Amino acid sequence: MSSITRSIQLPVSVAEAFSFFSDSASVATIFGARRAVVYPVVGGEFEIFFGEDDMDSTKNCKIVEFVPEVKIATEFIGPTKHRPYGFLKNSITFSCCERIHISS
């Protein structure tokens, strides 16, 4: 299994950065999607809808780790049109220096 790690620094507080990834409208904007459904709790939805219909989405994406202002981790099978990528686990970690670490 391979992984990709990225680290970015944002000119916002950790609380603001975290809110971007735990709010449905913000997640849709970040991923350039038509809409998103985020229920920010362990076991909650983290589904992103890309196409004109609900067929092209991160179907059944669930939050597997949720620590407010620290970490959001999800597991899902890639969007319908990207199925060759198969199962994905994403982890977004927030730290005190307004640096976000994203791993897939």
Side-chain angles (χ1 to χ4, degrees):
M1 178 187 296
S2 64
S3 70
I4 298 169
T5 301
R6 291 190 178 158
S7 179
I8 61 173
Q9 189 167 354
L10 300 173
V12 298
S13 70
V14 169
E16 289 173 300
F18 184 82
S19 72
F20 296 153
F21 287 91
S22 56
D23 173 74
S24 297
S26 295
V27 167
T29 299
I30 290 166
F31 288 95
R34 183 175 54 82
R35 69 182 180 99
V37 176
V38 177
Y39 185 60
V41 298
V42 172
E45 290 180 72
F46 196 92
E47 191 161 1
I48 305 168
F49 298 88
F50 296 97
E52 290 301 316
D53 57 29
D54 288 349
M55 299 304 294
D56 189 17
S57 74
T58 57
K59 187 174 184 177
N60 298 319
C61 182
K62 298 291 180 199
I63 295 174
V64 294
E65 290 182 67
F66 186 84
V67 181
E69 296 185 21
V70 175
K71 185 176 190 176
I72 299 173
T74 62
E75 289 182 346
F76 66 99
I77 296 174
T80 307
K81 71 180 183 177
H82 304 293
R83 285 285 185 236
Y85 295 107
F87 180 78
L88 298 172
K89 180 173 183 177
N90 291 312
S91 179
I92 304 169
T93 306
F94 304 83
S95 65
C96 66
C97 300
E98 288 79 41
R99 190 166 286 279
I100 299 173
H101 301 281
I102 304 172
S103 299
S104 296

